[in-house]
Amino acid sequence: MKRFGQTIRLKPDKAEEYIRHHAAVWPPVLKMIKECNISNYSIYFKDNILFSYFEYTGNNFEKDMEKMAADKATQEWWDVVKPLMEPLESKAPGEFWADMKEIFHLD
Amino acid sequence: MKRFGQTIRLKPDKAEEYIRHHAAVWPPVLKMIKECNISNYSIYFKDNILFSYFEYTGNNFEKDMEKMAADKATQEWWDVVKPLMEPLESKAPGEFWADMKEIFHLD
């Protein structure tokens, strides 16, 4: 299992809309997340910053992310939520959410 | 089980020292964390911001936090690491790490 911590900013005044959508994520989107071997997935919010934590239990993360990106329901979901978000200037090339570095873990 | 997401800032130029300490947290500190019913505890770093995620499996979080705060090794550890950190202006009264709001979860 591999753990991920990622961060991104919300656009000014878009927090309420983002939070409302995430209180009712479309079932096909949730189903695809599970199919792509992601579990224990939480998103936290404060000061217009988001933090996500999830656990990946598959054996090919890139391939699973390609599968997710090819899913029609997921694409439609991203069309709704991505415009509410503003990636960090410090993100790596190709990132949307920026990966954070795990500097401590205790099982 | 209750999940927590928290955030705090590091003081300028203190990241390297904080990260170095967290690569070798003192065993009595780790033991006390477990005794206080905290598990699956990760800390993530990016842009001098920390995010922590942990799971609390006890039934009295405040009492367990009082127990942790009363532990001598933990106090000595905090004397080392707390001066490296700078709580957010937006934290709630009494907080050091600021609690974030969980806006999404998928098991």
Side-chain angles (χ1 to χ4, degrees):
Chain A
M1 187 267 281
K2 181 164 161 41
R3 293 174 295 272
F4 287 82
Q6 300 183 330
T7 185
I8 197 165
R9 196 182 296 125
L10 291 176
K11 287 184 186 165
D13 302 321
K14 294 299 185 189
E16 193 188 343
E17 187 176 350
Y18 185 91
I19 291 170
R20 182 163 37 83
H21 284 305
H22 281 77
V25 177
W26 306 342
V29 171
L30 299 174
K31 183 167 173 284
M32 180 53 50
I33 292 170
K34 302 293 277 183
E35 274 181 31
C36 293
N37 300 303
I38 284 174
S39 61
N40 200 17
Y41 181 10
S42 300
I43 301 179
Y44 291 91
F45 169 85
K46 185 175 179 70
D47 298 347
N48 246 36
I49 292 283
L50 299 175
F51 175 85
S52 72
Y53 171 86
F54 61 86
E55 295 168 0
Y56 177 70
T57 54
N59 52 33
N60 191 331
F61 185 69
E62 286 188 12
K63 193 173 170 192
D64 276 330
M65 291 309 96
E66 285 168 13
K67 175 179 170 179
M68 188 182 289
D71 176 59
K72 191 146 174 37
T74 300
Q75 288 168 2
E76 289 173 6
W77 171 255
W78 286 348
D79 286 344
V80 172
V81 297
K82 280 193 166 184
L84 309 175
M85 302 156 88
E86 187 167 79
L88 303 188
E89 297 79 7
S90 60
K91 75 179 181 68
E95 286 184 342
F96 185 68
W97 286 80
D99 274 327
M100 299 181 82
K101 182 181 170 67
E102 182 186 297
I103 61 167
F104 172 76
H105 181 76
L106 178 67
D107 280 335
Chain B
M1 186 268 282
K2 181 163 162 41
R3 292 174 294 274
F4 287 83
Q6 301 184 330
T7 185
I8 197 164
R9 196 183 296 125
L10 290 176
K11 287 185 185 163
D13 302 321
K14 294 299 184 189
E16 193 189 341
E17 189 176 348
Y18 185 92
I19 291 169
R20 182 163 37 83
H21 285 305
H22 281 77
V25 177
W26 306 341
V29 172
L30 298 175
K31 183 166 172 284
M32 181 53 51
I33 292 170
K34 302 294 278 184
E35 273 181 31
C36 292
N37 299 303
I38 285 174
S39 60
N40 200 17
Y41 181 9
S42 300
I43 301 178
Y44 291 90
F45 169 85
K46 186 177 178 71
D47 297 347
N48 246 34
I49 292 284
L50 299 176
F51 175 86
S52 71
Y53 171 86
F54 61 85
E55 296 167 0
Y56 176 71
T57 55
N59 51 33
N60 191 332
F61 184 69
E62 285 187 13
K63 193 172 170 194
D64 276 330
M65 291 309 96
E66 284 167 15
K67 176 179 170 179
M68 189 182 288
D71 177 59
K72 192 147 174 39
T74 300
Q75 288 168 2
E76 289 172 6
W77 172 254
W78 286 347
D79 285 345
V80 172
V81 297
K82 280 193 166 185
L84 310 175
M85 303 156 88
E86 187 167 78
L88 303 187
E89 298 78 7
S90 61
K91 75 179 181 66
E95 286 185 341
F96 185 69
W97 286 81
D99 273 328
M100 300 181 81
K101 183 183 170 65
E102 182 186 296
I103 62 166
F104 171 76
H105 181 74
L106 177 66
D107 280 335

